[in-house]
Amino acid sequence: MKQIVKDYIYLLTGSVFVASAFSLFLLPNNLASGGVSGISIITYELFNISPGAFQLVSNVLLLLVGWMILGLGFGVKSLVGSIFLPGVILFYEAIDAGAAVNDTLLAAIFGGAGVGIGLGLIFRGRASTGGMDLLAQILHKFTHIPLYLCIAILDGAVVLVAAVTFSFTTGLYALIALFITIKMIDFVQLGFTQDKMAYVISEKRDVITRAVFDELDRGATEIQAIGAYSRIERPMLLVVVRQNEVSRLKEIIRRIDPDAFLIFSEAHEVMGQGFTSDKRYINVP
């Protein structure tokens, strides 16, 4: 029950973010950055159709079509999202909210970020709002084009039509908004933490492991690896540290084995003992 409530909080909060970014930044500046929302901006310009009403009808119809063609079990949350998000947009239309900014670049940046944050929250709530994702899945089913490419084709088509409808420059700003949206979804989904993963290959791994335990109070995991050229089996250490511990880890490894092979990479949303839960200490040999 607790998880269900949490999912709906994510869904409703994310929908408010998306609707607000759309109504206050994208729509007033004609930034049709893909999706059903982008089409609604174009139809509003060409036929004066309410964007909120267009999205409401489109989302519900796409859910029904998706159920009939794809046989997907969307569940109640997706239906709620498909209705609630356009409902918030209709509310902004009713109060005639207007534009938050009149600078197109700022609108693209903050509008794209707001939509990305909102969609990231919706996805974290294990829900969706239907829309172009369903069209992409239908296109994928009948053409066998990779799904990610189907999404890119559909969003690209919307941006292209927007460029023709409004202006080439506006289309480019819409691409900026779309790019920022994608990046913000990743941030919300994967977390804002800047933890690091370190891969260490060294003949002195036992000494390094002990130093990591004693000096950094971090754990380490041995991964069996084989040199592609030498065919020699040599365990590799995996160590996850906070960003402010990277320099200390480098110093430890350089001090113990200057010839050690060391690779750092990003680690998003690290969970478990020592990061999102308290450390539990046990005796180690």
Side-chain angles (χ1 to χ4, degrees), residues 1-50:
M1 183 64 185
K2 183 178 179 181
Q3 184 61 49
I4 294 176
V5 172
K6 187 177 180 181
D7 287 347
Y8 273 100
I9 291 174
Y10 276 133
L11 171 60
L12 299 180
T13 304
S15 296
V16 171
F17 264 95
V18 174
S20 299
F22 173 83
S23 300
L24 300 177
F25 293 96
L26 301 183
L27 175 60
N29 291 279
N30 297 325
L31 295 174
S33 57
V36 170
S37 62
I39 297 175
S40 72
I41 294 176
I42 297 170
T43 56
Y44 177 67
E45 173 69 17
L46 297 177
F47 309 110
N48 200 32
I49 298 174
S50 162

Side-chain angles (χ1 to χ4, degrees), residues 63 119-120 153 194 230:
L63 278 173
L119 289 176
I153 290 171
Q194 294 297 315
S230 66

Side-chain angles (χ1 to χ4, degrees), residues 66-135:
W67 179 74
M68 289 186 293
I69 295 179
L70 303 174
L72 299 178
F74 293 108
V76 177
K77 284 187 293 187
S78 293
L79 180 60
V80 170
S82 298
I83 296 173
F84 181 74
L85 194 156
V88 179
I89 294 174
L90 287 170
F91 168 76
Y92 277 112
E93 291 179 19
I95 64 173
D96 194 20
V101 295
N102 293 313
D103 184 291
T104 309
L105 179 58
L106 288 177
I109 294 172
F110 287 96
V115 171
I117 291 171
L119 289 176
L121 291 173
I122 291 170
F123 295 155
R124 288 193 73 135
R126 298 178 296 177
S128 75
T129 56
M132 288 297 247
D133 286 347
L134 288 176
L135 281 180

Side-chain angles (χ1 to χ4, degrees), residues 111-281:
V115 171
I117 291 171
L119 289 176
L121 291 173
I122 291 170
F123 295 155
R124 288 193 73 135
R126 298 178 296 177
S128 75
T129 56
M132 288 297 247
D133 286 347
L134 288 176
L135 281 180
Q137 292 182 53
I138 294 171
L139 181 63
H140 168 69
K141 179 180 177 66
F142 290 107
T143 65
H144 302 293
I145 298 173
L147 183 59
Y148 74 90
L149 189 55
C150 291
I151 295 173
I153 290 171
L154 292 174
D155 282 339
V158 173
V159 173
L160 181 61
V161 173
V164 173
T165 303
F166 302 109
S167 71
F168 180 72
T169 301
T170 301
L172 293 179
Y173 281 124
L175 281 176
I176 293 174
L178 180 60
F179 175 79
I180 294 173
T181 293
I182 294 170
K183 290 300 179 183
M184 289 306 298
I185 290 173
D186 286 342
F187 275 124
V188 176
Q189 289 275 76
L190 299 175
F192 289 91
T193 58
Q194 294 297 315
D195 300 323
K196 306 293 182 182
M197 287 188 298
Y199 298 94
V200 187
I201 300 176
S202 171
E203 297 288 351
K204 301 178 181 179
R205 62 184 178 278
D206 292 335
V207 181
I208 292 174
T209 299
R210 173 55 64 181
V212 169
F213 291 161
D214 295 341
E215 299 181 38
L216 282 180
D217 195 21
R218 290 294 178 196
T221 301
E222 282 195 2
I223 302 173
Q224 294 301 316
I226 300 176
Y229 178 76
S230 66
R231 309 309 299 169
I232 296 174
E233 187 172 325
R234 183 180 301 172
M236 176 174 61
L237 292 178
L238 170 63
V239 184
V240 180
V241 294
R242 297 294 191 194
Q243 189 170 24
N244 60 357
E245 297 170 328
V246 170
S247 295
R248 292 177 61 195
L249 178 60
K250 287 181 180 179
E251 291 172 3
I252 290 170
I253 294 171
R254 287 170 180 164
R255 183 183 73 233
I256 296 172
D257 184 4
D259 296 324
F261 192 75
L262 175 62
I263 303 171
F264 279 100
S265 64
E266 299 288 343
H268 295 280
E269 199 172 10
V270 179
M271 297 181 289
Q273 293 179 32
F275 285 89
T276 56
S277 60
D278 294 335
K279 296 179 181 179
R280 295 200 298 269
Y281 297 92

